[in-house]
Amino acid sequence: MLKTPDEMEWRMHSSQGDDRSVLADEGAAMGDIAPRELISLADDEGNSVTVNVLGRDPRWSAGLEAEITVRTPFVSGRINLVLSTSKLESWATALNLLDTDEDVVWMEWDRGPSISIQLTGERDCPEVTVEDESGSMVTVRVPLVPPDDWIADHRQRLHQVMNHWVPMLSE
């Protein structure tokens, strides 16, 4: 199934990082800011992979509209996805496996993009691979060295996202 330009965008050598993300403050009390960043893996070399929650999905009441963004000095890209409670729970499982030094693939069997994290890649550092086999058929592998406490940081991010967004979803 091909994606429309609104659903997917990959750019080579793009220095402009147009940010389509929106303030995701649905359901937040006055002054509260809804957590957006579920995943933020980056290094000092300019390589990053992020997953941001944009808000509730307008087409599915049990889903969150989100996007994966890849940025490197060579390639930048973004792809939309829908997150459900079960996908968020499977990210928790993936973090537990990573904490025991196991490589993971998150959202592997879902239609849409998947993210794999290999703790020791070809360059003797962690590699994050974003694959969109069912849509664009593009795969991007990003070597990066996250900070030492990245797993604990991502557990906290997940906790914040789930506490804020999951109560708004109807399954």
Side-chain angles (χ1 to χ4, degrees):
M1 180 168 141
L2 294 176
K3 306 261 187 222
T4 67
D6 284 344
E7 294 173 310
M8 169 154 235
E9 176 183 336
W10 292 101
R11 295 180 312 277
M12 299 294 285
H13 297 290
S14 174
S15 61
Q16 297 177 343
D18 63 319
D19 190 6
R20 287 185 31 239
S21 58
V22 296
L23 290 177
D25 60 357
E26 294 180 41
M30 194 68 131
D32 287 346
I33 297 175
R36 292 178 6 130
E37 254 186 9
L38 177 64
I39 298 174
S40 180
L41 297 169
D43 66 15
D44 296 337
E45 304 295 319
N47 298 319
S48 68
V49 176
T50 60
V51 175
N52 288 313
V53 175
L54 303 176
R56 289 185 296 175
D57 188 292
R59 298 160 294 196
W60 184 40
S61 62
L64 295 172
E65 189 174 14
E67 69 180 1
I68 301 170
T69 303
V70 175
R71 287 199 172 97
T72 75
F74 176 68
V75 64
S76 293
R78 160 182 305 142
I79 185 165
N80 291 345
L81 72 146
V82 177
L83 295 174
S84 62
T85 302
S86 64
K87 284 183 184 178
L88 294 171
E89 290 167 348
S90 71
W91 177 235
T93 301
L95 288 170
N96 290 338
L97 290 170
L98 288 163
D99 202 22
T100 63
D101 294 326
E102 291 188 49
D103 298 340
V104 298
V105 180
W106 181 48
M107 301 184 295
E108 180 178 27
W109 301 112
D110 291 331
R111 290 188 331 203
S114 65
I115 296 175
S116 60
I117 300 174
Q118 188 175 3
L119 295 171
T120 305
E122 290 179 14
R123 292 165 182 81
D124 293 325
C125 69
E127 289 181 347
V128 180
T129 303
V130 178
E131 185 171 14
D132 182 37
E133 188 176 297
S134 66
S136 67
M137 295 178 269
V138 171
T139 300
V140 179
R141 184 174 53 200
V142 181
L144 52 78
V145 180
D148 290 338
D149 65 344
W150 74 273
I151 294 174
D153 174 56
H154 281 80
R155 282 187 173 127
Q156 180 63 29
R157 290 171 188 275
L158 174 62
H159 178 74
Q160 290 171 345
V161 165
M162 289 189 75
N163 280 348
H164 181 83
W165 291 108
V166 170
M168 291 182 221
L169 303 178
S170 61
E171 306 247 1

